[in-house]
């Protein structure tokens, strides 16, 4: 059984996958001000997965949960292996529980 992910695990996973992915890896063009070492931007990810920058930024910041379609597209975009997919699933379950608890507290 996997350990319960820490709070904010989804945010940390998405940021780390974005940081390790180069624009060229996803068919995006490196911006003029983007350093060669920089990973893809939130805007580049949002364009590739077909959502707005605002929505993707909210998901990555932990202010919104991604839907099934967005999760599926992120898995494909980042070419996640089985271990990473399990990490993502655990982080989504944890984030969902946290959101449910926060709603019940209101």
């Amino acid at each position: 059984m996997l350990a319960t992910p820490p709070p904010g695990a989804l945010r940390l996973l998405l940021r780390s996958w974005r940081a390790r992915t180069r624009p060229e890896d996803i068919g995006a063009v490196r911006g003029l001000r983007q350093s060669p070492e920089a990973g893809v931007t939130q805007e580049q990810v949002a364009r590739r997965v077909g959502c707005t920058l605002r929505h993707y930024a909210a998901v990555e910041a932990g202010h919104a949960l991604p839907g099934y379609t967005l999760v599926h597209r992120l898995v494909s975009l980042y070419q996640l292996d089985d271990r990473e997919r399990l990490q993502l699933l655990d982080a989504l379950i944890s984030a969902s529980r946290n959101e449910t608890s926060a709603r019940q507290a209101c």
Side-chain angles (χ1 to χ4, degrees), residues 70-102:
L70 180 54
V71 170
H72 179 73
R73 290 176 181 174
L74 289 169
V75 167
S76 296
L77 180 75
Y78 291 130
Q79 300 176 356
L80 302 182
D81 61 26
D82 290 341
R83 182 185 58 80
E84 292 169 324
R85 289 176 188 207
L86 284 174
Q87 287 178 318
L88 177 58
L89 181 59
D90 283 344
L92 287 167
I93 290 169
S94 178
S96 177
R97 286 182 183 150
N98 291 341
E99 185 174 280
T100 301
S101 296

Side-chain angles (χ1 to χ4, degrees), residues 7 18 26 29-31 34 45 52 59 66-68 77 81 85-86 98:
R18 188 167 55 82
I26 63 168
V29 176
R30 184 173 297 282
Q34 224 173 339
V45 172
T52 65
V59 169
Y68 173 80
L77 180 75
D81 61 26
R85 289 176 188 207
L86 284 174
N98 291 341

